[in-house]
Amino acid sequence: MKIGFIGLGIMGKPMALNLAKAGHELAVPERASLTAEIRDAATVLPDAKAVAAWADTVILMVPDTADVERVLFEEGVAAALKPGSLLIDMSSISPIATKDFAARVTASGSAYLDAPVSGGEVGAKQATLTIMVGGPADAFARAQPLFAAMGKNITHVGEASGAGQTCKVANQIIVALNIQAVAEALVFASKAGADPARVRQALMGGFASSRILEVHAERMLNHTFTPGFRIRLHQKDLNIALSAARDLELSLPNTALAQQMFSACAAGGSAELDHSALVLAVEQLAGHSLQK
Amino acid sequence: MKIGFIGLGIMGKPMALNLAKAGHELAVPERASLTAEIRDAATVLPDAKAVAAWADTVILMVPDTADVERVLFEEGVAAALKPGSLLIDMSSISPIATKDFAARVTASGSAYLDAPVSGGEVGAKQATLTIMVGGPADAFARAQPLFAAMGKNITHVGEASGAGQTCKVANQIIVALNIQAVAEALVFASKAGADPARVRQALMGGFASSRILEVHAERMLNHTFTPGFRIRLHQKDLNIALSAARDLELSLPNTALAQQMFSACAAGGSAELDHSALVLAVEQLAGHSLQK
């Protein structure tokens, strides 16, 4: 397939290279920052619009909702798409805005999938991303070989546009709240005089067990907060959750509180640390550090 | 060993029977509610004080902090304990009060362990309880064969009295907050128009995975809230967490919020339902039910 790839950041670059490795023709828009590896693997066209006009399938991997809107409707990608082509937005953005973007792209004769990922830079490089997809079944079937070149656990969440983004939001809510759970439990245990590492060990395998207790609790105990996934990005994702919740008219009290805890971390200068550093805000509220 | 067992409720009764099955001599205080099974397996003595005077090891399994205090210091168990005997409190109570109880029992020449459990009625019957133990290493070694007759995952959390209770509190904090996480994520996803069962499926195996996502999410999706572990008991445990946090001077904002959500459930008449019914409070805040 002729794939246009827009957004060659930490995630996008290894994803695009994996598509090229799988034998797909790749085009990207010119940018001073393009590496030799990308220039070797892809055709470089003058801009995003030219990439869209050339491709059968255009993949977006940009930071936030406003970036998707700009690429699609200001830089001319939506208008340049060939009839019958496929637009796949793999960015993590608002599920509400996604419905609107999908309607506008679909109206001009292209198909639209939202397909955000989780698994981070490591998952992008190793082609083991979790991919959560919303959109029509036939478009999903068409995109399946591309997803298979970039990820492993691929779920068609639903036919409605935004279902993939909604699933990603649910993921980010659970991860944030599970981090908060482990942070409060370990800081409590430590201030009460117990060894938090032994407490973690005792809880593994029981009803308190989670991937966060397995992986992030270790980071909290050692205060090793090299990202990983940055607090700043998790704040962005909870902002999507809380904005969508406001639009949908529902209240998410614990998600709102977790966002406030992340804001407290940012206020303390920790926005670029791994999200397990949320424990720093809990430690501050306890006047007590997990570090010996 | 000659074991006195005080507190033959839903948990205590199968635990005592498992000790008898393992070949230990058992005595219990007279009560009209004693079943024939217990009367067959144990010597029935007139009261708790007589049981303590007879036994080498006394095990308590009563509902709350005040019950332990009453049995030990009003019903005369602490005073009746033989010098060199062992008191094991397997109730889930305050880690702060435990330090005081242990100091008073130890002062009169007995050893004290706090050893709360998790795993519920099923774990008690099948002798697969998780047991979290605080207290001196020699007392732990002495109790080990008893624990092995009642449980499976047995951790000596620390030598300090209260370390077992502290670990149990940490467990209950994480479980409550992980339930809250899954409840907010699934209600959000469902109100946003996605199928929450497919969302759950997509998230299993990733960073959002937990025993709660595995087990309690199912109960939420089907609205099957037969306990399980009752909201009323989880409220009791979070009350222990929040009272201890106040005494220790630390703030647990998410734990406090989870307690408020449980209170909202209780206000709605759901206190005797399984704790996964916390989702009912989230549904109410969303004006939206997971049930189709």
Side-chain angles (χ1 to χ4, degrees), chain A residues 61-286:
Chain A
M61 190 62 180
V62 295
D64 208 343
T65 310
D67 304 294
V68 174
E69 186 162 28
R70 181 177 42 74
V71 170
L72 285 178
F73 305 111
E74 290 171 32
E75 298 186 9
V77 165
L81 285 169
K82 289 191 286 194
S85 64
L86 172 62
L87 190 294
I88 310 177
D89 178 25
M90 303 190 75
S91 324
S92 289
I93 69 161
S94 162
I96 312 277
T98 292
K99 285 183 212 291
D100 172 52
F101 299 164
R104 290 159 74 186
V105 166
T106 306
S108 63
S110 296
Y112 191 103
L113 292 174
D114 54 295
V117 306
S118 79
E121 190 180 354
V122 173
K125 284 184 174 160
Q126 298 180 343
T128 57
L129 292 168
T130 292
I131 309 179
M132 298 154 263
V133 191
D138 54 346
F140 177 74
R142 196 168 145 195
Q144 182 69 51
L146 306 181
F147 294 145
M150 295 182 282
K152 245 175 105 174
N153 181 10
I154 299 150
T155 307
H156 187 207
V157 182
E159 299 243 0
S161 285
Q165 298 294 354
T166 295
C167 189
K168 176 70 190 281
V169 168
N171 185 75
Q172 297 304 77
I173 289 174
I174 293 178
V175 169
L177 271 52
N178 285 7
I179 287 176
Q180 180 86 25
V182 170
E184 290 199 5
L186 294 184
V187 171
F188 171 84
S190 178
K191 189 157 189 185
D195 175 353
R198 284 215 224 168
V199 168
R200 172 179 166 277
Q201 203 53 50
L203 301 187
M204 301 265 284
F207 271 111
S209 68
S210 67
R211 271 297 284 286
I212 299 300
L213 184 65
E214 216 179 297
V215 178
H216 295 65
E218 281 277 1
R219 299 178 190 167
M220 293 180 198
L221 292 171
N222 304 320
H223 270 216
T224 51
F225 299 131
T226 321
F229 188 74
R230 290 173 203 278
I231 282 176
R232 184 174 48 75
L233 291 173
H234 214 146
Q235 287 185 287
K236 185 211 87 173
D237 289 341
L238 293 191
N239 184 48
I240 291 172
L242 295 166
S243 303
R246 194 185 53 215
D247 290 346
L248 293 165
E249 296 186 338
L250 79 154
S251 168
L252 300 174
N254 268 265
T255 304
L257 184 47
Q259 179 74 311
Q260 295 304 311
M261 300 297 281
F262 280 138
S263 293
C265 292
S270 306
E272 301 302 326
L273 299 185
D274 184 69
H275 52 173
S276 56
L278 186 142
V279 76
L280 294 172
V282 176
E283 288 180 348
Q284 205 168 12
L285 287 172

Side-chain angles (χ1 to χ4, degrees), chain B residues 44-167:
Chain B
V44 180
L45 296 174
D47 55 24
K49 194 175 165 180
V51 167
W54 169 89
D56 306 318
T57 299
V58 175
I59 296 178
L60 307 187
M61 191 61 181
V62 295
D64 207 342
T65 310
D67 304 296
V68 174
E69 185 163 29
R70 181 175 43 72
V71 169
L72 284 178
F73 305 111
E74 290 172 32
E75 297 185 7
V77 165
L81 285 170
K82 288 190 288 195
S85 65
L86 172 63
L87 191 293
I88 310 176
D89 178 25
M90 304 190 74
S91 324
S92 289
I93 70 162
S94 162
I96 312 276
T98 291
K99 286 183 212 292
D100 172 52
F101 299 164
R104 289 159 75 185
V105 166
T106 307
S108 62
S110 297
Y112 190 105
L113 292 174
D114 55 295
V117 305
S118 78
E121 190 181 355
V122 173
K125 285 184 175 164
Q126 299 180 342
T128 57
L129 291 168
T130 293
I131 308 179
M132 298 154 263
V133 190
D138 54 346
F140 177 74
R142 196 168 146 196
Q144 182 71 50
L146 307 181
F147 293 145
M150 295 182 282
K152 244 175 105 174
N153 182 10
I154 298 151
T155 307
H156 187 207
V157 182
E159 298 242 0
S161 285
Q165 299 293 355
T166 295
C167 189

Side-chain angles (χ1 to χ4, degrees), chain A residues 43-69:
Chain A
T43 304
V44 180
L45 296 174
D47 55 24
K49 193 175 166 180
V51 167
W54 169 89
D56 306 316
T57 298
V58 174
I59 295 178
L60 306 187
M61 190 62 180
V62 295
D64 208 343
T65 310
D67 304 294
V68 174
E69 186 162 28

Side-chain angles (χ1 to χ4, degrees), chain B residues 201-267:
Chain B
Q201 202 54 49
L203 301 187
M204 302 265 282
F207 272 112
S209 67
S210 67
R211 271 298 284 287
I212 299 300
L213 184 65
E214 217 179 296
V215 177
H216 294 67
E218 281 277 2
R219 299 178 190 166
M220 292 180 198
L221 292 171
N222 303 322
H223 271 216
T224 51
F225 298 131
T226 321
F229 187 74
R230 291 174 201 278
I231 282 176
R232 185 174 47 75
L233 292 172
H234 214 146
Q235 286 185 287
K236 185 211 89 175
D237 290 341
L238 293 191
N239 184 48
I240 291 172
L242 295 166
S243 303
R246 193 186 53 215
D247 290 346
L248 293 164
E249 296 186 339
L250 79 154
S251 167
L252 300 174
N254 268 265
T255 304
L257 184 47
Q259 180 74 310
Q260 295 305 311
M261 300 297 280
F262 279 138
S263 293
C265 292

